Coordinates of all heavy atoms in Angstrom, one line a residue:
T113 N -6.9 -33.1 3.1 CA -7.8 -32.2 3.8 C -9.1 -31.9 3.0 O -10.2 -32.0 3.5 CB -7.1 -30.8 3.9 OG1 -5.9 -31.0 4.5 CG2 -7.9 -29.8 4.8
N114 N -8.9 -31.7 1.7 CA -10.1 -31.3 0.8 C -10.9 -32.4 0.3 O -12.0 -32.2 -0.1 CB -9.6 -30.4 -0.3 CG -9.2 -29.0 0.1 OD1 -10.0 -28.2 0.4 ND2 -7.9 -28.8 0.1
V115 N -10.3 -33.6 0.2 CA -11.0 -34.8 -0.4 C -11.4 -35.8 0.7 O -12.5 -36.0 1.0 CB -10.2 -35.4 -1.5 CG1 -10.9 -36.5 -2.2 CG2 -9.9 -34.3 -2.6
F116 N -10.3 -36.5 1.2 CA -10.6 -37.6 2.1 C -11.1 -37.2 3.4 O -12.0 -37.8 4.0 CB -9.3 -38.4 2.3 CG -8.8 -38.9 0.9 CD1 -7.6 -38.5 0.4 CD2 -9.5 -39.9 0.2 CE1 -7.1 -38.9 -0.8 CE2 -9.0 -40.3 -1.0 CZ -7.8 -39.8 -1.6
G117 N -10.7 -36.0 3.9 CA -11.2 -35.4 5.1 C -12.7 -35.1 5.0 O -13.5 -35.4 6.0
V118 N -13.1 -34.6 3.9 CA -14.5 -34.3 3.7 C -15.4 -35.5 3.7 O -16.4 -35.6 4.3 CB -14.7 -33.5 2.3 CG1 -16.2 -33.3 2.0 CG2 -13.9 -32.2 2.4
I119 N -14.9 -36.6 3.1 CA -15.7 -37.9 3.0 C -15.8 -38.4 4.4 O -16.9 -38.8 4.8 CB -15.0 -38.9 2.1 CG1 -15.0 -38.4 0.6 CG2 -15.6 -40.3 2.2 CD1 -14.2 -39.2 -0.3
E120 N -14.7 -38.4 5.2 CA -14.8 -38.9 6.6 C -15.7 -38.1 7.4 O -16.5 -38.7 8.2 CB -13.4 -38.9 7.2 CG -12.5 -40.1 6.7 CD -11.2 -40.3 7.4 OE1 -11.1 -39.9 8.6 OE2 -10.3 -40.8 6.8
V121 N -15.6 -36.8 7.4 CA -16.5 -36.0 8.2 C -18.0 -36.2 7.8 O -18.9 -36.3 8.6 CB -16.1 -34.5 8.1 CG1 -17.1 -33.6 8.7 CG2 -14.7 -34.2 8.7
T122 N -18.2 -36.2 6.4 CA -19.6 -36.4 5.9 C -20.2 -37.7 6.4 O -21.3 -37.8 6.9 CB -19.6 -36.3 4.4 OG1 -19.0 -35.1 4.0 CG2 -21.0 -36.3 3.9
N123 N -19.4 -38.8 6.3 CA -19.9 -40.1 6.7 C -20.2 -40.1 8.2 O -21.1 -40.7 8.7 CB -18.9 -41.2 6.3 CG -18.9 -41.4 4.8 OD1 -19.8 -41.0 4.1 ND2 -17.8 -42.1 4.3
A124 N -19.3 -39.4 9.0 CA -19.5 -39.4 10.4 C -20.8 -38.7 10.8 O -21.4 -39.0 11.7 CB -18.3 -38.8 11.1
M125 N -21.1 -37.6 10.0 CA -22.2 -36.8 10.4 C -23.5 -37.3 9.8 O -24.6 -36.9 10.2 CB -22.0 -35.3 9.8 CG -20.8 -34.6 10.4 SD -21.2 -34.2 12.1 CE -19.7 -33.4 12.6
L126 N -23.5 -38.1 8.8 CA -24.7 -38.5 8.0 C -25.8 -39.1 8.9 O -27.0 -38.8 8.7 CB -24.4 -39.5 6.9 CG -24.2 -38.8 5.5 CD1 -24.0 -39.9 4.4 CD2 -25.5 -38.0 5.2
P127 N -25.5 -40.0 9.9 CA -26.5 -40.6 10.7 C -27.3 -39.5 11.4 O -28.6 -39.5 11.5 CB -25.8 -41.4 11.7 CG -24.5 -41.8 11.0 CD -24.2 -40.6 10.2
L128 N -26.6 -38.4 11.9 CA -27.3 -37.3 12.5 C -28.1 -36.5 11.5 O -29.3 -36.1 11.8 CB -26.3 -36.4 13.3 CG -25.8 -36.9 14.6 CD1 -24.6 -36.0 15.1 CD2 -26.9 -37.0 15.6
L129 N -27.5 -36.2 10.4 CA -28.1 -35.4 9.4 C -29.4 -36.1 8.9 O -30.4 -35.4 8.6 CB -27.2 -35.2 8.2 CG -26.1 -34.2 8.4 CD1 -25.1 -34.2 7.2 CD2 -26.7 -32.8 8.5
R130 N -29.4 -37.4 8.8 CA -30.6 -38.1 8.3 C -31.8 -38.0 9.3 O -32.9 -38.1 8.9 CB -30.3 -39.6 8.1 CG -29.5 -39.9 6.9 CD -29.3 -41.4 6.7 NE -28.3 -41.8 5.7 CZ -28.6 -41.9 4.4 NH1 -29.9 -41.6 4.0 NH2 -27.7 -42.2 3.5
R131 N -31.4 -37.8 10.6 CA -32.5 -37.6 11.6 C -33.0 -36.1 11.7 O -34.0 -35.8 12.3 CB -31.9 -38.0 13.0 CG -32.1 -39.5 13.1 CD -31.1 -40.1 14.2 NE -31.1 -39.4 15.4 CZ -30.1 -39.7 16.3 NH1 -29.1 -40.5 16.0 NH2 -30.0 -39.0 17.5
S132 N -32.3 -35.2 11.0 CA -32.6 -33.8 11.0 C -33.8 -33.6 10.0 O -33.7 -34.2 8.9 CB -31.4 -33.0 10.7 OG -31.8 -31.7 10.2
P133 N -34.7 -32.7 10.2 CA -35.7 -32.4 9.2 C -35.2 -31.6 8.1 O -35.8 -31.5 7.0 CB -36.8 -31.6 10.0 CG -36.0 -31.0 11.2 CD -34.9 -31.9 11.5
A134 N -34.1 -30.9 8.2 CA -33.5 -30.1 7.1 C -32.0 -30.1 7.1 O -31.4 -29.1 7.3 CB -34.0 -28.6 7.3
G135 N -31.5 -31.3 6.9 CA -30.0 -31.4 6.9 C -29.4 -30.7 5.7 O -29.9 -30.8 4.6
R136 N -28.3 -30.0 5.9 CA -27.6 -29.3 4.8 C -26.1 -29.5 4.9 O -25.5 -29.4 6.0 CB -27.8 -27.7 5.0 CG -29.3 -27.3 5.0 CD -30.0 -27.4 3.7 NE -31.4 -27.0 3.7 CZ -32.4 -27.9 3.8 NH1 -32.1 -29.2 3.8 NH2 -33.6 -27.5 3.8
I137 N -25.6 -29.9 3.8 CA -24.1 -30.1 3.7 C -23.6 -29.1 2.7 O -24.1 -29.0 1.6 CB -23.8 -31.5 3.1 CG1 -24.3 -32.6 4.1 CG2 -22.3 -31.7 2.9 CD1 -24.1 -34.0 3.6
V138 N -22.7 -28.2 3.2 CA -22.1 -27.2 2.3 C -20.6 -27.5 2.2 O -19.9 -27.3 3.2 CB -22.3 -25.8 2.9 CG1 -21.8 -24.7 1.9 CG2 -23.8 -25.6 3.2
N139 N -20.1 -27.9 1.1 CA -18.7 -28.1 0.9 C -18.0 -26.8 0.4 O -18.5 -26.2 -0.7 CB -18.5 -29.2 -0.1 CG -18.8 -30.6 0.5 OD1 -18.6 -30.7 1.7 ND2 -19.3 -31.5 -0.3
V140 N -17.0 -26.3 1.1 CA -16.4 -25.1 0.7 C -15.4 -25.4 -0.4 O -14.3 -25.9 -0.1 CB -15.7 -24.4 1.9 CG1 -15.1 -23.0 1.4 CG2 -16.7 -24.1 3.0
S141 N -15.8 -25.1 -1.6 CA -15.0 -25.5 -2.8 C -14.2 -24.2 -3.2 O -14.0 -23.3 -2.4 CB -15.9 -26.0 -3.9 OG -15.1 -26.5 -5.0
S142 N -14.0 -24.1 -4.5 CA -13.3 -22.9 -5.1 C -13.5 -23.0 -6.6 O -13.6 -24.0 -7.2 CB -11.8 -23.0 -4.8 OG -11.1 -22.0 -5.6
E143 N -13.6 -21.7 -7.2 CA -13.8 -21.7 -8.6 C -12.5 -22.3 -9.3 O -12.5 -22.6 -10.5 CB -14.1 -20.3 -9.1 CG -13.1 -19.3 -8.9 CD -13.5 -17.9 -9.5 OE1 -14.4 -17.8 -10.3 OE2 -13.0 -16.9 -9.0

Side-chain angles (χ1 to χ4, degrees):
T113 310
N114 285 288
V115 179
F116 302 112
V118 173
I119 294 172
E120 281 187 29
V121 171
T122 307
N123 288 343
M125 296 291 181
L126 262 185
L128 284 172
L129 284 169
R130 285 183 189 277
R131 277 159 44 196
S132 158
R136 302 288 178 261
I137 298 174
V138 186
N139 287 328
V140 183
S141 185
S142 167
E143 64 181 338

